[in-house]
Amino acid sequence: MKRILFLLSFLCTLSAAAQNQVPVLWLLNSDTTASRYAGILDVQANFNIGSNFLDRTVMDPMLFGGTIERADLERVVSKMPSYGKGRGEFGITANYYGGLDSLFGRKDWGLYLHGEAWSEADLGINKDAFALASLGNVNYVGQRVDFSSTNYHSQSLRALGVGWYNKKTYTGVSLSMVSGMNYREFSSGSSSFYTSLMADTLELVYRGTYYASSNKQVGANGVGFSLDAQYNVPFAKDKGWFSVNLRHLGAVAWNGQSTMTQFDSTLTWTGVNLNHLLQTDSILNGGSLNTDSLSLHKHYQSSWKPLSPSVSFRLFREYNAGKSIYYGIQYWIYDNVIPQLHAGAMKRWENGWAISSQVGYGGFGKLKWGMEVQYFNPNGFYFSVGTTQLPGYFFTHTHEVQGQVRLTYLINKRKKE
Amino acid sequence: MRRIGLFLFLSVLLFSCKKEDHTSWTTSWAAPVAHGRITLEDLIPSEYGYTDANGLWHLRIQKELSALGFDTLLSLPDTTISRKFVVPLTGGPFNVPPNANIITSNEVTEINMNGVGLREVYLKGGTLMYEVKSYVGASLQCIYTIDGLTYNGDPVVLNIDTQPELAFTPDVQTGTVSLVGMHMDLSGTSGLDYNKLISHIVVKTSPDATGTQPIYGQDSIRINLSFVDPVVDYARGYFGNETYEFNEQIDLSGAAHLPQGSLDLSSAEFDVDIHHTIGVDAKMQWTNLQASNTAANTFVGMMSGDLYLPKMMTRALDLGSGEVWGAHYQNQLNESNSNITQFLGSLPDYLVIQGDLQINPLGNVSDGNDFFYGDHLTKATVNLDIPLRFATSGLNFTDTLAVSVTTDQVQVNALTVPITSTFPVEMTLQLLTEGGDVIASNLVIPAATVDANGDVIQAAETVLHLNLTNDQWQSIKQAHRLILQANVLTPNYPTPIYFTAANYIDVKIIVGADITATLH
């Protein structure tokens, strides 16, 4: 019966790992005495690019350069849902878990240092607006394309903080000072693009805001804070763990060199005036734009902007012979993003190796299937490499590519003579 | 330690990533590039056309011949006058007290005026440059007065202090005086001479010198005066009896847009108007008025009764205060008195106008009182006027359209041109590259409907479609221009139609283009 349950979980549950969670192997090897390690140096990197409509034929050239073929764009548009979402993230995190014998008189408490650098970007756009931008207006002659709900947001940040943690469960919380390097945010209001039936008139109704940090200043353009926490609760005699992970709860105050631009314009283009053309100009060498109304306000503005917080829940249970299942949910606190469900199964061996497989659905991507390989040597180091979307590496029509790698150096305490 | 090093190495290796190139994709757009209402005034610059009181549109070409050569009178030659003044003593040194005259002299200098004898000149430009060299071993004050050069009635006085020579090296003092607004009296001491400039000089020991100054006999002062770029505003004198030749070409192929084909020229006129505003008698003679059609290699000379006979022109009258009365001399050539139909019917691309003009053919009859004002020189103007009333079964217009496209990111593949025309002619268009490759042909714009009087009662509407291949687009891009040929048919030929200022063509140009978007 247990085997059947295990196989059903493997096949039917959904999975995706939440970044920066404590590895399961750590928890399974939890130091009940809280005194094994003098310190733990943990470095991890991860990237994740996912979308519910873009696939790798489009994402790869956007990330690494190159030409996006028109046939690929047409296929992507044809399969695109009414509202498209996408997100990209790249980050490096380093934690040092200190090995103090005690903290506030508690031997199972310790301090850890947290350092992190990451960049992220997310995009939301409706289908017609994306089709217009990627294919042109030839399919929208006589129509008005609405792009009111288009938004884009990106930021690059660094964080350095300190936290408390429990040496047995790795439950902990850290508070970091965040240094904001770069921030861009575009949000469109009621906006549209109209092409008349004969294509002799184009009209752009353009309302929205664009907020951008300074690109002149060297170094930080903003200062803020981030609260990161995880809560791990064992059950079933430490063979099961329930985890809650809160990430990037905080905000950054971008400095007064940042610019806020507000658009409220209607532009109509009917071509250059032929009378001018015949006198001085050539057809494709200049022109004039009829500005029915043009409102553009740009000013410097300091502003608090939230980080991109996420919260995840995970339930893990190991059965006999090192077989286990886990499942959970991760939720990015954004509009228009459904929670990402994930589940998987893992097999570990006594020699420290473990392999897991997982499936997931939601978030910024679609259905995904991932694998992870881990090695844990309690007397030396921990290593893991994995992905939540393995097909993304092999098939260009997949909607997500994710990868993570983690190296941990475990500093054992010397046994007292 | 080795484990930590390996750990860091693997960390750097695994976390490296870099983007190498930009992202691009091709989008397809339909967009307007031009629109407008084209009238004859747009097609033909206003200087080449006008509408008469009846609303009939005329093609007009007006060209002023370049001053008939008189402009050479306006600038006098650069002139340098060099005079040496010697202390009228022998031996020395003589101890001379301060402020004592040692040289005084009155001078009359003849100035070369390009063979023209002038009695007075007002100048509106130029510079007088002077240089004084003193070979005297004392501080001097040189007062050089040019009596014949005045400003508001006051003579120009050059008051120059010099220092003693040093080891046989003269002291040199220089300066300039503007000639703008200067009056030159060149009539000499008698008031009847030409080109004679009166001046006088006083050289004395410096009033500021301390004690006596050592002066030697035969010590000298040299003064050099240079008139640089003098420009004449008014001149009086005897201008000689030179003959000026002129040879002008009027280009009709460029901006004038003279159509190629056949026109009804029964009402055409060709006028040559001369306004003689110089105070000299003159003899004017056309030697050649010719129409040249380069393409057809035809040359037609204008023929008309006494056109080529010499014409005497009476001198203008000076009314004072710069006002001049000058006589007009006009040749009006039309179908009744010339071969203008043949002349213009050859559809020339340029006209040749040659002639000569002799001044004072009877000699100095004004006794040295010829005159001219710089801004009132005799001018000749050519006027060509053709009412656009014509009938044709195949009149060709050709124009060149500039297409300046420097980007490779735009590939135009189609043109759509909706047209509404109120011109009472049917036009068949052809587009070619400069190399002669046909882009499109047989594009027909139908004629507007006219009533029995030729008035337009209904506009014609049509939509032209052109598809461009990549090769054609590349050809246009490389040549940077398109040649538009229009073959015009008038309805009910040979009944003439006419153009008025109310005729127009409403045009929109819409392109279909692939545009390569690039994201850096």
Side-chain angles (χ1 to χ4, degrees):
Chain A
M1 186 61 189
K2 288 180 180 177
R3 179 168 294 181
I4 292 172
L5 283 174
F6 175 79
L7 290 173
L8 284 174
S9 300
F10 189 90
L11 293 173
C12 302
T13 55
L14 309 171
S15 169
Q19 287 93 33
N20 294 335
Q21 280 188 336
V22 170
V24 167
L25 289 187
W26 290 25
L27 299 175
L28 292 174
N29 288 275
S30 174
D31 177 15
T32 55
T33 66
S35 60
R36 174 178 292 179
Y37 300 118
I40 301 173
L41 178 59
D42 176 42
V43 179
Q44 55 185 305
N46 65 276
F47 74 94
N48 184 16
I49 297 140
S51 170
N52 68 345
F53 68 106
L54 297 174
D55 62 27
R56 275 190 51 205
T57 61
V58 176
M59 289 193 291
D60 284 3
M62 295 188 77
L63 289 171
F64 305 113
T67 300
I68 306 173
E69 298 300 329
R70 186 174 178 85
D72 291 327
L73 282 170
E74 289 174 342
R75 178 177 41 76
V76 165
V77 168
S78 68
K79 295 181 178 179
M80 183 177 174
S82 61
Y83 191 78
K85 304 180 292 286
R87 176 179 166 83
E89 181 179 2
F90 171 78
I92 299 175
T93 304
N95 290 320
Y96 178 74
Y97 295 89
L100 291 174
D101 288 337
S102 66
L103 180 67
F104 304 127
R106 295 284 299 268
K107 287 189 176 181
D108 55 345
W109 285 11
L111 292 176
Y112 74 100
L113 299 175
H114 172 73
E116 186 174 4
W118 76 103
S119 298
E120 60 191 25
D122 52 82
L123 168 74
I125 187 170
N126 70 43
K127 181 175 181 176
D128 286 338
F130 178 77
L132 180 73
S134 58
L135 299 175
N137 71 339
V138 289
N139 296 324
Y140 291 97
V141 172
Q143 298 180 46
R144 184 176 291 278
V145 176
D146 178 74
F147 55 94
S148 300
S149 50
T150 300
N151 56 71
Y152 169 80
H153 157 262
S154 69
Q155 57 184 342
S156 295
L157 305 153
R158 295 173 187 169
L160 186 63
V162 62
W164 161 87
Y165 81 107
N166 184 304
K167 295 177 182 176
K168 293 179 181 177
T169 64
Y170 296 99
T171 291
V173 59
S174 69
L175 183 64
S176 301
M177 187 187 79
V178 177
S179 172
M181 311 306 292
N182 184 284
Y183 187 88
R184 301 279 184 273
E185 182 183 33
F186 167 78
S187 179
S188 68
S190 177
S191 303
S192 63
F193 183 87
Y194 172 70
T195 305
S196 66
L197 197 57
M198 287 196 66
D200 56 349
T201 300
L202 305 179
E203 183 187 76
L204 177 66
V205 180
Y206 188 51
R207 298 186 181 93
T209 59
Y210 178 65
Y211 186 77
S213 63
S214 169
N215 56 10
K216 297 177 182 175
Q217 189 154 321
V218 177
N221 288 303
V223 176
F225 69 94
S226 174
L227 182 71
D228 297 78
Q230 53 187 309
Y231 180 60
N232 301 307
V233 182
F235 62 91
K237 298 180 180 178
D238 292 348
K239 292 296 183 183
W241 289 82
F242 173 70
S243 301
V244 180
N245 189 52
L246 176 66
R247 188 174 177 233
H248 293 162
L249 181 64
V252 171
W254 297 94
N255 64 26
Q257 298 300 309
S258 306
T259 52
M260 168 66 84
T261 307
Q262 295 169 306
F263 307 93
D264 186 355
S265 306
T266 300
L267 309 175
T268 304
W269 169 254
T270 56
V272 297
N273 190 317
L274 265 179
N275 306 86
H276 298 160
L277 188 72
L278 289 167
Q279 302 298 326
T280 59
D281 217 337
S282 65
I283 290 177
L284 296 172
N285 200 30
S288 58
L289 194 65
N290 297 325
T291 306
D292 296 336
S293 68
L294 175 62
S295 175
L296 187 152
H297 299 288
K298 186 175 183 179
H299 59 274
Y300 292 109
Q301 179 177 311
S302 174
S303 184
W304 280 94
K305 294 291 181 182
L307 303 180
S308 302
S310 65
V311 60
S312 62
F313 302 89
R314 180 182 65 191
L315 191 65
F316 175 87
R317 177 72 170 91
E318 183 176 60
Y319 298 94
N320 58 346
K323 298 173 183 173
S324 58
I325 62 169
Y326 54 87
Y327 42 86
I329 184 171
Q330 181 174 15
Y331 177 53
W332 285 272
I333 307 172
Y334 291 138
D335 291 336
N336 300 316
V337 178
I338 61 172
Q340 176 174 278
L341 302 173
H342 62 272
M346 184 180 78
K347 166 66 179 172
R348 69 176 180 126
W349 289 270
E350 292 297 328
N351 60 7
W353 285 93
I355 184 168
S356 57
S357 179
Q358 57 217 6
V359 290
Y361 186 86
F364 289 89
K366 287 187 172 180
L367 184 64
K368 59 206 79 181
W369 170 53
M371 290 191 74
E372 186 175 27
V373 175
Q374 303 175 74
Y375 176 77
F376 184 84
N377 179 349
N379 298 316
F381 64 93
Y382 167 81
F383 166 80
S384 74
V385 59
T387 174
T388 60
Q389 175 59 326
L390 189 61
Y393 290 93
F394 302 103
F395 303 105
T396 56
H397 288 187
T398 52
H399 292 268
E400 186 171 3
V401 183
Q402 194 273 345
Q404 58 197 38
V405 62
R406 190 164 192 162
L407 292 168
T408 305
Y409 181 50
L410 307 167
I411 307 167
N412 285 317
K413 285 186 176 177
R414 292 176 182 272
K415 292 182 179 178
K416 292 183 178 177
E417 295 296 333
Chain B
M1 192 64 194
R2 287 173 58 191
R3 285 200 297 179
I4 294 176
L6 177 63
F7 174 82
L8 294 174
F9 173 75
L10 289 173
S11 300
V12 171
L13 195 65
L14 288 170
F15 304 150
S16 298
C17 180
K18 187 179 180 183
K19 183 175 177 176
E20 296 290 345
D21 201 0
H22 63 264
T23 304
S24 64
W25 68 96
T26 301
T27 58
S28 299
W29 294 86
V33 294
H35 72 281
R37 170 164 292 188
I38 302 170
T39 64
L40 285 167
E41 290 183 358
D42 297 310
L43 293 171
I44 303 174
S46 57
E47 69 220 64
Y48 294 111
Y50 71 98
T51 307
D52 65 17
N54 298 320
L56 183 61
W57 214 86
H58 291 240
L59 178 68
R60 176 182 61 188
I61 298 167
Q62 196 168 56
K63 173 77 175 178
E64 184 177 287
L65 305 185
S66 58
L68 299 174
F70 283 131
D71 49 349
T72 58
L73 294 173
L74 291 175
S75 55
L76 298 178
D78 288 355
T79 302
T80 298
I81 302 168
S82 182
R83 304 292 295 174
K84 180 180 179 183
F85 303 96
V86 179
V87 177
L89 296 171
T90 303
F94 303 98
N95 293 321
V96 179
N99 204 25
N101 290 356
I102 60 172
I103 300 172
T104 59
S105 177
N106 294 319
E107 299 289 321
V108 177
T109 306
E110 181 161 2
I111 299 176
N112 174 24
M113 290 292 184
N114 268 352
V116 174
L118 298 180
R119 281 192 170 144
E120 63 172 333
V121 174
Y122 282 93
L123 297 167
K124 60 181 178 182
T127 304
L128 172 64
M129 303 177 67
Y130 63 86
E131 179 188 62
V132 177
K133 293 181 178 179
S134 172
Y135 295 88
V136 180
S139 299
L140 302 177
Q141 183 184 28
C142 304
I143 303 170
Y144 188 74
T145 304
I146 308 173
D147 303 278
L149 185 63
T150 58
Y151 185 81
N152 288 335
D154 298 325
V156 172
V157 179
L158 307 178
N159 194 334
I160 306 149
D161 293 327
T162 65
Q163 299 301 312
E165 67 160 356
L166 188 61
F168 301 105
T169 301
D171 179 59
V172 178
Q173 301 293 329
T174 60
T176 61
V177 176
S178 171
L179 292 174
V180 176
M182 292 283 186
H183 173 248
M184 290 180 79
D185 183 347
L186 299 168
S187 62
T189 54
S190 67
L192 299 173
D193 278 336
Y194 301 105
N195 303 341
K196 297 290 195 306
L197 183 66
I198 298 173
S199 61
H200 71 274
I201 187 169
V202 174
V203 180
K204 56 186 177 180
T205 53
S206 172
D208 300 326
T210 303
T212 59
Q213 297 292 303
I215 304 294
Y216 289 85
Q218 300 305 308
D219 279 354
S220 65
I221 294 284
R222 178 171 288 279
I223 295 180
N224 296 319
L225 297 177
S226 297
F227 293 87
V228 180
D229 300 328
V231 181
V232 177
D233 190 29
Y234 168 83
R236 182 174 66 84
Y238 173 55
F239 297 164
N241 60 351
E242 294 289 324
T243 298
Y244 299 91
E245 294 183 349
F246 54 89
N247 184 350
E248 295 268 349
Q249 288 194 354
I250 301 175
D251 185 5
L252 302 179
S253 63
H257 293 254
L258 195 68
Q260 304 296 299
S262 59
L263 288 168
D264 176 10
L265 299 168
S266 58
S267 302
E269 287 190 355
F270 184 86
D271 300 338
V272 181
D273 180 78
I274 299 173
H275 190 199
H276 185 47
T277 52
I278 293 180
V280 293
D281 295 323
K283 184 175 71 176
M284 167 81 187
Q285 184 172 18
W286 302 112
T287 57
N288 187 23
L289 295 181
Q290 188 181 67
S292 298
N293 185 321
T294 308
N297 197 31
T298 58
F299 305 93
V300 178
M302 177 67 82
M303 303 300 292
S304 175
D306 59 353
L307 177 64
Y308 294 106
L309 295 179
K311 297 171 183 62
M312 296 301 294
M313 298 194 295
T314 306
R315 67 180 55 242
L317 298 178
D318 190 346
L319 303 178
S321 303
E323 295 297 318
V324 174
W325 177 88
H328 281 275
Y329 300 90
Q330 195 167 27
N331 283 101
Q332 289 187 320
L333 307 174
N334 51 45
E335 192 178 49
S336 66
N337 63 6
S338 72
N339 64 335
I340 189 170
T341 304
Q342 182 188 4
F343 184 82
L344 294 176
S346 67
L347 297 166
D349 49 7
Y350 67 93
L351 303 179
V352 176
I353 299 176
Q354 294 171 320
D356 52 50
L357 187 147
Q358 183 187 17
I359 61 174
N360 289 320
L362 304 177
N364 189 8
V365 296
S366 70
D367 192 22
N369 287 301
D370 299 343
F371 74 90
F372 70 85
Y373 287 90
D375 53 356
H376 287 100
L377 294 180
T378 295
K379 294 175 182 174
T381 305
V382 172
N383 293 287
L384 178 62
D385 187 297
I386 307 172
L388 275 184
R389 185 196 300 274
F390 64 97
T392 178
S393 60
L395 191 66
N396 292 317
F397 292 83
T398 299
D399 198 4
T400 303
L401 305 176
V403 183
S404 299
V405 181
T406 56
T407 177
D408 291 328
Q409 293 185 300
V410 177
Q411 159 89 49
V412 173
N413 48 41
L415 287 173
T416 302
V417 187
I419 291 175
T420 301
S421 172
T422 65
F423 280 96
V425 294
E426 179 184 294
M427 286 180 270
T428 304
L429 306 180
Q430 183 168 246
L431 275 175
L432 304 97
T433 65
E434 199 171 41
D437 296 331
V438 177
I439 301 297
S441 61
N442 204 30
L443 303 171
V444 178
I445 302 174
T449 306
V450 297
D451 61 15
N453 298 321
D455 295 329
V456 174
I457 56 176
Q458 184 174 4
E461 295 188 355
T462 188
V463 179
L464 306 179
H465 296 282
L466 288 76
N467 292 319
L468 291 178
T469 66
N470 183 46
D471 289 344
Q472 288 173 326
W473 175 242
Q474 296 303 328
S475 177
I476 294 169
K477 278 179 61 180
Q478 289 169 5
H480 297 298
R481 60 188 64 222
L482 268 177
I483 296 172
L484 174 66
Q485 291 180 343
N487 185 267
V488 178
L489 303 171
T490 56
N492 305 318
Y493 179 81
T495 303
I497 59 96
Y498 57 88
F499 288 160
T500 72
N503 292 130
Y504 65 84
I505 298 178
D506 280 343
V507 178
K508 295 174 181 175
I509 301 177
I510 299 154
V511 300
D514 289 339
I515 299 176
T516 302
T518 303
L519 191 66
H520 291 277

